[in-house]
């Protein structure tokens, strides 16, 4: 299966980050980041807390601003130009650790809001698309409930469906399972695996090493705001090169 | 082994069904026990409180029960009530119309009555958007309007006309409740015309200014965006109001329909309180929202202006602002500009309330988790879309209690306009009534009357806010 997936990766570049640096005030959070993501590639980013992995993927859709270097997403460079930012954001879907569903709207309205207002899709069409994706994440029956009535796992699946409704070409996941009960982690991971099998370009910050082994083309390990090691999952887990990686892996896989 | 095992291992063979709690833990008994007689202290306090309530009622009740309704002066009241004394409600019976209308001409009472009735029709879609409750409100108000017109107006034509209009509006509210919004949009102009009279073309020409604004916005917005569109539209409309509207109105002067003009100094009582209160309430909310957004803006100029405005207005007493309105503002305007006193007061009261509303809404905005902004951004919504669709609906919902408190405060503060010579119901009208030789020395009754009306209005607002909170509750915590 792993071989088949790797076949889908094309040579087309989806994201290119070169010599990127970011500071929070004077604190240097991201240091000289260089990476390229090809279309169809699935990348897992891991590392200890505070290593800058969330900040990195939040830079990709400009939820955070970088101060130096270049980020090019789908051929559009992220600068302070609002038009470019909006263009990138409508092409890049994002799933958050705390779901961030809109509590005052129903599940269906959560999913149709952006297509209607950003993509100018007619309401009926947007609802049909939303139902399609809600079926895909296996909760069409919750469409008319409010987020507060759903379990964490269901909410996270809705969040995934909401992003998919914008028909994004790239999906970013920021620790999507960290706020969930163990029982619910599986249902969210299953959804993400299904998405990966369809060839979606995915960047995923997660500590789910099983997920990384199953679907990732590449695992990136970050520490102190820099990329310490990246490799294919098999090599990364079985034969880590740097001492920092070995220590990290021994700590999270130790029990 | 099986013996020791029996103590730790347990297998339920039959599931238990639900049962009612014991008698002392349910119904009235539980409520009494928990709320009134929960312990010795609680029981003692309950009994003391009961005694105090009984004592107060026993003191005040004769005064209320002995109330005199038919008399021509306070002296006559006292004679009728006899030695034990009693309330002299006759003063209310004789002067109620001044409390409601001030010195508004008596034969034109139908105009404020119709305006007041239409106000509720205009409010219906705001209070109950798209709901049948709105139609019920319109129905009740329609009946009340027609009944009060029939009682107060001698021209049967007015009554019939009002009945037909109200029936039509009720039908509209019942069939298409959302369409009632158009009534809401037209209402300010209609009410202005009804209350102040004059040529209908004056409010129509003013309304046309908004038409100009929308037209310019539609032309500019696709090319230069929302902000530029709004700004250009607003400036064009202001230019129209300043330089064009005057000649339009002048050209159409004398063209019917026309109503007898009524001067601002004839307004008074609750009519005045409503004109100032309702206008200020409906204008201060949007201004307050903009100020709150301005205060949180990244743009330094906008932020500084908003902070400066809010802090200045909140730091100055309302009475100072009212004196500014009545005296100082005249000095800054070109000579011989006739700038209506009520309008000046409304503007300053609006700005005053807007500053407070802005701070209340800022609290609501601060209470929203950052994730909501991020999710809106990540979906590609622009600033105004995110504010309108995601942020404001939630922030306003959180701020409802604060906003309604501000509105209630604002409505009660309309009585302060007596300091600039307007006839507010509490001080203005009461002073006039007590200046009458027949009612000299009357004290409690007018204040109780005005107080009760204020209470009913403010209590109504408070109940509505609770209904709204309940209706908008979707978090299911």
């Amino acid at each position: 299966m792993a071989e088949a997936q790797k076949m889908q990766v094309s040579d087309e570049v989806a994201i290119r980050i070169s010599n990127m640096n970011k500071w929070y005030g004077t604190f240097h959070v991201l240091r000289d980041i260089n990476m390229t993501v090809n279309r169809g590639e699935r990348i897992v980013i891991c590392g200890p807390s505070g290593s800058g992995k969330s900040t990195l993927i939040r830079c990709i859709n400009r939820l955070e601003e970088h101060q130096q270097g270049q980020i090019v997403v789908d051929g559009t460079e992220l600068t302070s130009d609002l038009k470019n930012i909006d263009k990138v954001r409508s092409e890049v879907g994002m799933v958050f650790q705390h779901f961030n569903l809109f509590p005052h709207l129903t599940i269906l309205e959560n999913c149709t809001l952006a297509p209607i207002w950003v993509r100018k899709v007619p309401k009926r069409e947007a609802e049909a698309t939303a139902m399609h994706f809600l079926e895909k994440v296996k909760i069409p029956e919750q469409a008319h409930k409010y987020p507060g009535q759903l379990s964490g796992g269901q909410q996270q699946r809705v969040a995934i469906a909401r992003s998919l409704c914008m028909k994004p070409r790239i999906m970013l996941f920021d620790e999507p399972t960290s706020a969930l009960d163990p029982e619910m982690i599986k249902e969210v991971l299953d959804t993400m695996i299904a998405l990966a099998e369809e060839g979606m370009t995915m960047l995923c910050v997660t500590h789910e090493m099983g997920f990384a082994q199953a679907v990732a083309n590449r695992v990136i390990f970050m520490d102190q705001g820099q990329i310490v090691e990246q490799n294919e999952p098999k090599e990364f887990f079985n034969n880590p090169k740097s001492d920092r990686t070995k220590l990290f892996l021994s700590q999270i896989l130790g029990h | 082994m099986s013996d020791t095992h029996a103590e730790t291992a347990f297998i339920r063979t039959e599931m238990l069904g639900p049962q009612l709690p014991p008698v002392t833990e349910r119904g009235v008994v539980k409520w009494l026990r928990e709320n009134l007689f929960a312990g010795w202290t609680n029981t003692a306090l309950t009994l003391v409180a009961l005694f105090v309530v009984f004592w107060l009622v026993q003191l005040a009740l004769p005064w209320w029960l002995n109330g005199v309704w038919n008399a021509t002066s306070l002296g006559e009241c006292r004679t009728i009530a006899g030695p034990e004394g009693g309330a002299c409600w006759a003063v209310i019976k004789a002067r109620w119309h001044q409390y409601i209308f001030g010195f508004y001409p008596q034969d034109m009472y139908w105009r404020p009555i119709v305006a007041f009735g239409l106000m509720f029709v205009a409010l219906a879609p705001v209070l109950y958007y798209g709901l049948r409750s709105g139609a019920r409100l319109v129905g009740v108000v329609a009946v009340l309007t027609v009944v009060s017109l029939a009682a107060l107006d001698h021209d049967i034509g007015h009554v019939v006309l009002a009945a037909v209009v109200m029936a039509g509006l009720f039908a509209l509210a019942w069939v298409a409740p959302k369409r009632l919004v158009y009534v809401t949009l037209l209402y300010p102009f209609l009410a202005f015309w009804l209350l102040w009279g004059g040529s209908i073309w004056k409010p129509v020409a003013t309304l046309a200014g908004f038409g100009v604004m929308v037209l310019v916005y539609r032309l500019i917005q696709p090319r230069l965006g929302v902000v530029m569109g709004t700004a250009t539209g607003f400036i064009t409309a202001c230019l129209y109001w300043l330089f064009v509207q005057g000649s339009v109105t002048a050209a159409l002067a004398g063209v019917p329909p026309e109503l007898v003009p009524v001067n601002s100094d004839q307004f008074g009582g609750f009519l005045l309180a409503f004109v100032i209160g309702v206008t200020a309430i409906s204008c201060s909310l949007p201004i307050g929202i903009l100020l709150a957004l301005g205060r949180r803006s990244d743009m330094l100029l906008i932020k500084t202006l908003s902070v400066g405005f809010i802090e200045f207005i909140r730091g100055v007493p309302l009475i100072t602002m009212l004196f500014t309105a009545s005296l100082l503002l005249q000095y800054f305007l070109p000579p011989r500009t006739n700038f209506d006193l009520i309008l000046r007061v409304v503007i300053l009261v609006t700005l005053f309330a807007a500053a407070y509303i802005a701070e209340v809404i800022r609290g609501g905005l601060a209470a929203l988790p950052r994730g909501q902004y991020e999710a809106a951004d990540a979906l590609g919504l622009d600033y105004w879309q995110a504010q309108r669709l995601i942020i404001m609906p939630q922030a306003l919902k959180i701020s409802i209690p604060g906003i309604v408190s501000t509105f209630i405060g604002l409505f009660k503060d309309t009585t302060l306009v007596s300091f600039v010579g307007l006839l507010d119901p509490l001080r203005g009208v009461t002073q006039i009534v007590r200046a009458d030789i027949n009612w000299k020395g009357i004290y409690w009754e007018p204040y109780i009357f005005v107080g009760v009306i204020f209470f009913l209005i403010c209590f109504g607002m408070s109940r509505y806010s609770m209904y709204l909170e309940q209706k908008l509750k979707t978090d299911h915590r």
Side-chain angles (χ1 to χ4, degrees):
Chain A
M1 189 184 95
E3 286 308 309
Q5 279 169 18
K6 271 158 210 166
M7 295 295 283
Q8 291 165 10
V9 177
S10 74
D11 294 337
E12 195 190 336
V13 175
I15 303 169
R16 170 175 292 129
I17 302 176
S18 34
N19 307 100
M20 191 263 275
N21 282 280
K22 173 170 176 60
W23 289 264
Y24 282 130
T26 55
F27 178 58
H28 200 173
V29 253
L30 291 177
R31 306 177 192 174
D32 193 36
I33 305 287
N34 283 289
M35 72 190 265
T36 311
V37 182
N38 285 348
R39 185 155 315 288
E41 218 180 347
R42 294 170 295 282
I43 293 175
V44 163
I45 303 171
C46 60
S49 72
S51 61
K53 50 197 193 309
S54 286
T55 312
L56 172 61
I57 71 163
R58 287 158 62 87
C59 281
I60 293 173
N61 67 352
R62 195 73 172 191
L63 287 182
E64 303 285 354
E65 207 174 308
H66 61 281
Q67 277 85 34
Q68 212 172 63
Q70 207 183 25
I71 302 178
V72 180
V73 182
D74 246 346
T76 313
E77 193 191 342
L78 281 171
T79 56
S80 51
D81 186 350
L82 284 177
K83 248 181 206 151
N84 284 356
I85 295 174
D86 283 342
K87 191 170 165 224
V88 166
R89 280 175 179 168
S90 60
E91 300 294 336
V92 178
M94 178 134 187
V95 175
F96 299 89
Q97 180 179 0
H98 295 288
F99 333 134
N100 295 354
L101 294 178
F102 305 130
H104 63 300
L105 301 175
T106 63
I107 300 307
L108 189 62
E109 287 165 340
N110 263 281
C111 294
T112 56
L113 184 101
I116 290 175
W117 290 96
V118 179
R119 290 241 192 269
K120 315 284 180 204
V121 177
K123 190 176 175 208
R124 192 159 293 175
E125 199 184 314
E127 283 179 354
T129 315
M131 286 314 290
H132 168 75
F133 284 114
L134 285 174
E135 261 159 45
K136 208 160 189 180
V137 301
K138 303 195 178 72
I139 31 177
E141 71 282 358
Q142 314 282 7
H144 296 287
K145 287 192 183 166
Y146 286 95
Q149 293 165 290
L150 268 55
S151 74
Q154 289 173 324
Q155 290 194 44
Q156 193 59 294
R157 284 184 284 153
V158 171
I160 294 173
R162 177 175 73 175
S163 296
L164 292 177
C165 283
M166 285 294 279
K167 310 264 173 74
R169 307 184 71 184
I170 300 164
M171 285 286 284
L172 307 175
F173 293 84
D174 187 2
E175 305 203 26
T177 55
S178 307
L180 296 176
D181 290 343
E183 275 185 326
M184 296 168 180
I185 292 179
K186 189 180 175 306
E187 62 187 54
V188 171
L189 288 182
D190 284 347
T191 311
M192 290 167 64
I193 290 170
L195 198 59
E197 279 165 2
E198 285 170 20
M200 175 66 80
T201 313
M202 289 166 65
L203 261 83
C204 187
V205 173
T206 184
H207 296 126
E208 297 297 329
M209 291 306 144
F211 172 79
Q213 270 164 330
V215 301
N217 303 95
R218 221 192 314 162
V219 180
I220 293 178
F221 174 69
M222 288 182 73
D223 190 27
Q224 292 173 23
Q226 42 219 311
I227 296 176
V228 173
E229 184 166 350
Q230 59 171 315
N231 213 332
E232 289 186 1
K234 206 180 269 177
E235 276 294 296
F236 180 84
F237 289 111
N238 297 339
N239 195 9
K241 304 284 186 296
S242 106
D243 293 339
R244 185 66 192 88
T245 318
K246 283 175 196 163
L247 179 66
F248 177 73
L249 287 177
S250 74
Q251 273 166 354
I252 62 166
L253 299 174
H255 47 93
Chain B
M1 184 190 158
S2 64
D3 277 340
T4 50
H5 199 196
E7 284 168 12
T8 47
F10 169 76
I11 299 164
R12 184 172 288 289
T13 50
E14 205 178 339
M15 300 307 279
L16 297 175
Q19 285 178 330
L20 279 177
V23 182
T24 50
E25 290 297 331
R26 63 178 192 233
V28 185
V29 181
K30 178 183 156 84
W31 186 88
L32 281 176
R33 212 165 54 78
E34 283 187 353
N35 292 292
L36 299 180
F37 306 103
W40 283 113
T41 342
N42 189 287
T43 310
L45 284 175
T46 304
L47 293 175
V48 170
L50 278 176
F51 174 74
V52 170
V53 170
F54 174 77
W55 180 64
L56 284 176
V57 168
Q58 184 237 348
L59 270 184
L61 205 60
W63 187 79
W64 288 86
L65 288 181
N66 255 349
V68 177
W69 285 91
N70 293 307
T72 50
S73 69
L74 184 60
E76 202 184 326
C77 261
R78 292 206 170 129
T79 327
I80 297 173
E84 61 207 57
C88 183
W89 301 117
V91 64
I92 307 299
K93 204 177 168 190
R95 296 302 196 97
W96 67 270
H97 53 93
Q98 270 181 339
Y99 279 102
I100 306 294
F101 300 106
F103 287 115
Y104 207 87
Q106 292 226 7
D107 55 332
M108 292 175 202
Y109 277 176
W110 67 273
R111 281 158 51 175
I113 293 175
V114 170
F116 188 67
L118 286 176
M119 183 184 85
F120 286 97
V121 179
L123 277 176
V126 179
L127 299 181
Y128 306 101
Y129 184 65
L131 294 178
R132 276 280 157 82
S133 316
R136 259 170 248 138
L137 174 67
V138 173
V140 171
V141 168
V143 172
L144 289 178
T145 309
V146 174
V147 167
S148 33
L149 272 182
L152 286 173
D153 201 79
H154 305 298
D155 189 341
I156 195 75
H158 292 150
V159 182
V160 173
L161 187 66
V164 171
V165 169
M166 282 299 194
L169 288 171
F170 175 68
L172 179 66
W174 192 262
V175 179
K178 291 183 183 177
R179 291 283 166 80
L180 224 50
V181 171
Y182 295 107
V183 180
T184 311
L185 293 178
L186 288 179
Y187 177 74
F189 306 96
L190 190 61
F192 173 81
W193 184 57
L194 277 172
L195 291 177
W196 274 272
S199 164
I200 197 175
W201 300 108
K202 195 175 170 193
V204 169
T206 314
L207 182 60
F210 287 98
V212 170
M213 195 190 290
V214 172
L215 195 71
V216 172
Y217 176 81
R218 285 272 166 83
L219 285 175
I220 303 282
Q221 190 260 333
R223 269 154 243 174
L224 295 171
V226 178
V227 177
M228 279 307 288
T230 315
T232 332
F234 182 69
I235 291 167
T236 325
C238 285
L239 291 177
Y240 164 86
W241 283 320
L242 280 176
F243 300 111
V244 186
Q245 198 205 335
S247 37
V248 175
T249 319
L252 288 167
V255 181
E258 211 168 329
L259 286 173
V260 182
V262 175
N263 248 329
S264 280
D265 52 15
Q266 288 168 292
F267 282 58
F270 280 100
L271 171 61
L272 183 70
F274 266 99
V275 167
I276 297 173
V278 172
T279 322
I281 283 174
S282 38
C283 296
S284 63
L285 188 60
I287 299 177
I289 291 175
L290 289 179
L291 281 172
L293 292 179
R295 190 162 189 171
R296 288 172 68 92
S297 167
D298 295 332
M299 285 178 268
L300 188 66
L301 181 70
I302 292 181
K303 187 179 173 145
T304 317
L305 284 177
S306 307
V307 172
F309 179 88
I310 292 171
E311 294 304 339
F312 172 74
I313 298 259
R314 285 203 309 169
V316 174
L318 178 57
I319 301 204
T320 318
M321 309 266 299
L322 291 173
F323 279 129
T324 315
S326 79
L327 305 168
L328 264 164
L329 220 55
Q330 259 344 7
Y331 290 109
F332 297 115
L333 293 168
R336 256 184 274 143
T337 6
N338 183 20
F339 200 48
D340 191 272
L341 179 59
I342 292 186
L343 182 60
R344 278 181 273 159
V345 165
V346 163
I347 290 174
L348 283 179
V349 172
T350 303
L351 295 182
F352 189 78
Y356 281 86
I357 296 279
E359 286 300 281
V360 170
I361 292 176
R362 193 166 69 93
L365 287 170
L368 279 195
R370 235 173 91 83
Q372 293 292 312
Y373 293 88
E374 288 177 354
D377 281 348
L379 284 170
L381 296 167
D382 67 30
Y383 177 80
W384 291 107
Q385 286 173 335
Q387 291 299 339
R388 187 159 53 92
L389 301 165
I390 309 296
I391 307 303
M392 272 306 151
Q394 296 184 61
L396 289 179
K397 189 174 85 179
I398 300 172
S399 327
I400 287 173
I403 293 176
V404 173
S405 291
T406 313
F407 283 169
I408 287 176
L410 162 68
F411 187 69
K412 290 187 298 184
D413 281 353
T414 57
T415 51
L416 291 177
V417 298
S418 68
F419 284 101
V420 292
L422 290 171
L423 279 180
D424 81 295
L426 195 66
R427 188 159 170 268
V429 177
T430 303
Q431 254 179 2
I432 286 172
V433 169
R434 289 169 68 196
D436 184 335
I437 190 78
N438 286 327
W439 305 110
K440 207 167 162 60
I442 199 146
Y443 199 76
W444 286 92
E445 293 82 351
Y447 289 126
I448 290 176
F449 175 68
V450 173
V452 165
I453 296 185
F454 267 114
F455 174 78
L456 288 179
I457 294 163
C458 297
F459 188 64
M461 285 199 243
S462 153
R463 295 308 295 194
Y464 174 75
S465 86
M466 287 166 82
Y467 155 83
L468 198 60
E469 275 174 64
Q470 203 59 41
K471 191 180 101 171
L472 297 179
K473 199 172 163 192
T474 56
D475 52 359
H476 306 276
R477 267 188 281 213

